[in-house]
Amino acid sequence: MIDQIFQKNGVLHSKLKEFTPRSSQQEMAEAVFDAIRYSGNLVCESGTGTGKTYAYLVPAILSKKRTVITTATRALQEQVFFRDLPNLLQVLNADIKTCMLKGRANYLCRHRLKQAQQQIDQVGIRMRYPLSKINEWANRTQTGDLSEVKDIPENSPVWRVVTSTSENCLGGHCHDFNKCHVNTARKKAIESDLVVINHHVYFSDLSLKESGFGGLLPEHDIIIFDEAHSLPEIASNFFGFTFSSIQVKYLIDDIQSAELEENSCIDFQSIFLKLEQSVKDLILLAKKNYQGPKIYGEVKNHEWEEKTTKLKITFGDLVSALESAAVAGTGLTRCRDRAIWMSDNLWTWCEDSDQKSARWFSSHKNGFNLNSTPLDMGQILREHMNLPGKSRIFTSATLSVDRNFSTFMKKVGLAEQNTDTGFWDSPYDYTNNCRLLIDESMPEPSDPRFPESMKQVIVEIATVSRGRAFCLFTSFMMLNCVYDLVRAEVDWPLYRQGDMPKQTLINNFIENEHSVLFGTSTFWQGVDIKGDALSCIIIDKLPFGSPGDPVIKSRIQYCHEQGNNPFKQIQIPEAVVILKQGVGRLIRSETDRGVLVICDSRILKKPYGKIFLDSLPKIPIVGDIRKIKEFYRGIYKSKGA
């Protein structure tokens, strides 16, 4: 059945003009089909250009089983739902109910919008114009999906005012419950045969079911995790917690709004003043003593204990006041429940009892976070990922380390004996269309001479590539240092992460043909630039996590305590996956050609370097920049440029 759909002159080839038959895509589809038929787990890496989306969508549609597809990014979620899925449903003549379900923060809350309009003095004069635009749209929208509003920036503070969270939602007590966009979207999801969500929604559903409440998703037979490499990190954020100064501010804002509506006659103002002062005291302490994120043991001292004890006491006073105020209405009741939850997190963070989480402190200009992150997500997810009766498909272009999936499976709690695996290389011709430059004479990244050496590489390579280059860094410090050196020497258009929004940077880079873009972590993945606009990726060093990062530091220590080798089991595998993501930005179509430059000579000199090289596509390695110049001349000659 699968071969008749994917083969040359098959259903897809004959009905979809853009479809190119690929044996790797058909093989993956057959593996997914088998996993669905036998209710098994499948972990599969599918290289760029394989066509993995069709390879899992077709078997899911044909199965006629209830299916959930989850992605890490909104871009892929929308691509699957608005482009790939409709194409296949039409071609396969399949009659199934489908829907896309986003997280709560993506939908308008009618109650919160009314509340903001009635309390405009509290939300701020600057909100008047965007609130009027949102109100105008609210009268005509059918879905309440905020992506329909095009003329208000994504980072506008107005969005928090007109959306709800699970903590401040009034639920069935809300006057607008029957017209609630979130409930309408969830009801549609429950009634659908195939639902497209994101990983955050998946873990929200998991949490609700664990708490004994009804889930967000229908009972399903198949769950397909696309962009599965992001699962461990997203799960860690979800199953941990944060107590932050901004949470305190938002709680106070919501208490004030609820009090205006429900009038408990409790005097909150004196408590607010004490609580705000406690928060300010901790912020001032952080500015004075703590630079950068710190693990719990690095911040704990007498002064810290004094400030956090004061915060716990004042927060306790707030909880007590809310206990008395809650009888006045649902809004204040929800604020009380939220305050209790926050108080529990604060006390948990300040105790020494939790040995299975990394507790770490981070501060910024006007606030702080007390974070708790699980050290071993695999233990938490194991019971969910191995329940019988469901098919679980995990796919991405970057799941394996040297074609081995054991690290990924351990992170998500999969039992290897119950999980099939598959590996399909990219169909793109890396041997002829790509070159990898590694100069063994480069100083190591820790050498003071490295920034100057990297600057020279960028100038030489970008000159011959005529710009069209991404320079990817593992830290802002190195990025800024090298950027300044390059900026002083060239007059090309240079774009630097942080100078403008990400999408604006990408658009400017594409429009200015001979430009160079400098970026860090967010540019290593999820950027898809096909064609001549991008023909060079220059990477500063192997992307090992910073040993000063509190979560990495805690996980290394935990791994040591378990009698394992953290460098082999944590640091190398994670760096390999990140490097593969960065390399994957270069060749995005069959006709793309380009050069990859890794400025870190350790990849050739150190024994572990072979693991990195063996995990990358088979790109010819050269050590002389003159070979790169010859390669580019060949590109220009073939194009008549």
Coordinates of all heavy atoms in Angstrom, one line a residue, residues 48 60 87 131-132 208 213 230 245 325 357 382 409 434 436 451 455 463 488 498 508 532 594 599 624:
T48 N 17.8 16.2 6.2 CA 17.2 17.3 5.5 C 16.8 16.9 4.1 O 17.7 16.4 3.4 CB 18.1 18.5 5.5 OG1 18.5 18.8 6.9 CG2 17.4 19.7 4.9
A60 N -0.4 7.8 9.1 CA -1.4 8.2 10.1 C -2.8 8.3 9.5 O -3.8 7.9 10.1 CB -0.9 9.5 10.8
N87 N -3.0 19.1 1.6 CA -2.6 18.5 0.3 C -2.8 17.0 0.3 O -3.3 16.4 -0.6 CB -1.1 18.7 0.1 CG -0.8 20.2 -0.3 OD1 -1.7 20.9 -0.7 ND2 0.5 20.6 -0.3
L131 N -5.7 48.0 22.7 CA -6.9 47.4 23.2 C -8.1 47.7 22.2 O -9.0 46.8 22.0 CB -7.3 47.9 24.6 CG -6.5 47.2 25.7 CD1 -6.8 47.9 27.0 CD2 -6.9 45.7 25.8
S132 N -8.2 48.9 21.7 CA -9.2 49.2 20.7 C -9.1 48.4 19.5 O -10.2 47.9 18.9 CB -9.2 50.7 20.4 OG -8.0 51.0 19.6
L208 N -2.5 17.8 33.2 CA -3.9 17.8 33.7 C -4.4 16.4 34.0 O -5.1 16.2 35.0 CB -4.8 18.4 32.5 CG -4.8 19.9 32.5 CD1 -5.6 20.4 31.3 CD2 -5.4 20.5 33.7
F213 N -7.7 15.7 36.2 CA -8.7 16.5 35.5 C -8.8 16.0 34.1 O -7.9 15.2 33.6 CB -8.3 18.0 35.5 CG -8.3 18.6 36.8 CD1 -7.1 18.8 37.5 CD2 -9.5 19.1 37.4 CE1 -7.1 19.4 38.8 CE2 -9.4 19.7 38.6 CZ -8.3 19.8 39.3
S230 N 13.8 18.5 20.5 CA 13.5 19.5 21.5 C 12.8 19.0 22.7 O 12.6 19.7 23.7 CB 12.7 20.6 20.8 OG 13.4 21.2 19.8
S245 N 10.2 37.4 40.2 CA 9.7 38.7 40.5 C 8.5 39.2 39.6 O 7.6 39.8 40.1 CB 10.8 39.7 40.5 OG 11.5 39.7 39.2
A325 N -10.2 36.9 51.7 CA -10.8 37.6 50.5 C -11.5 36.7 49.6 O -12.4 37.1 48.8 CB -9.8 38.5 49.8
S357 N 16.6 17.7 41.4 CA 16.5 18.9 40.6 C 17.6 19.9 40.7 O 18.3 19.9 41.8 CB 15.2 19.7 41.0 OG 14.0 18.9 40.7
R382 N 9.5 8.1 31.8 CA 9.5 6.7 31.5 C 8.1 6.0 31.5 O 7.7 5.3 30.6 CB 10.4 5.9 32.5 CG 10.7 4.5 32.1 CD 11.9 3.9 32.9 NE 13.1 4.6 32.6 CZ 13.9 5.3 33.4 NH1 13.6 5.3 34.7 NH2 15.0 5.9 33.0
M409 N 17.0 8.3 23.6 CA 16.0 7.4 24.2 C 16.1 7.5 25.8 O 15.0 7.5 26.4 CB 16.2 6.0 23.7 CG 15.7 5.8 22.3 SD 15.5 4.1 21.8 CE 17.1 3.7 21.3
C434 N 29.1 20.6 -1.5 CA 29.5 21.2 -0.2 C 31.0 20.9 0.1 O 31.5 19.8 -0.4 CB 28.6 20.6 0.9 SG 28.6 21.6 2.4
L436 N 33.8 21.2 3.6 CA 34.0 21.5 5.0 C 35.5 22.0 5.2 O 36.4 21.2 5.0 CB 33.7 20.3 5.9 CG 34.1 20.4 7.4 CD1 33.5 21.6 8.1 CD2 33.7 19.1 8.1
P451 N 40.0 35.1 18.6 CA 39.1 36.1 17.9 C 39.7 36.7 16.6 O 39.0 36.9 15.6 CB 38.8 37.1 19.0 CG 39.0 36.4 20.3 CD 40.1 35.5 20.0
K455 N 38.3 36.3 12.9 CA 38.0 37.4 12.1 C 38.6 37.3 10.7 O 38.0 37.6 9.7 CB 38.5 38.7 12.8 CG 38.3 40.0 12.0 CD 39.4 40.4 11.1 CE 40.7 40.8 11.9 NZ 41.8 41.3 11.0
T463 N 34.6 37.2 1.6 CA 35.0 37.9 0.4 C 34.8 37.0 -0.8 O 34.2 37.5 -1.8 CB 36.5 38.3 0.5 OG1 36.7 39.2 1.6 CG2 37.0 39.0 -0.8
A488 N 35.3 46.6 11.8 CA 36.4 47.6 11.6 C 37.1 47.4 10.3 O 37.9 48.3 9.9 CB 37.3 47.5 12.8
G498 N 20.3 40.6 18.2 CA 20.1 41.6 19.3 C 19.9 43.0 18.8 O 19.3 43.8 19.6
N508 N 16.3 41.1 6.2 CA 17.4 42.0 5.7 C 18.5 41.2 5.1 O 19.1 41.6 4.1 CB 17.9 42.8 6.9 CG 16.9 43.9 7.3 OD1 15.9 44.2 6.6 ND2 17.1 44.5 8.4
D532 N 20.6 30.9 -3.2 CA 21.9 31.6 -3.2 C 22.0 32.5 -2.0 O 23.1 33.0 -1.7 CB 22.1 32.4 -4.5 CG 22.3 31.4 -5.7 OD1 22.6 30.3 -5.4 OD2 22.0 31.9 -6.8
G594 N 27.3 25.1 -1.0 CA 27.9 26.0 -0.1 C 29.1 25.4 0.7 O 29.5 24.2 0.5
C599 N 35.8 26.5 12.9 CA 37.0 27.2 13.3 C 37.7 26.5 14.5 O 38.8 26.9 14.9 CB 36.8 28.7 13.7 SG 36.2 29.6 12.3
D624 N 42.8 23.8 3.5 CA 43.4 24.9 2.8 C 42.4 25.8 2.2 O 41.5 25.4 1.4 CB 44.4 24.5 1.7 CG 45.3 25.6 1.2 OD1 44.9 26.8 1.3 OD2 46.3 25.3 0.6

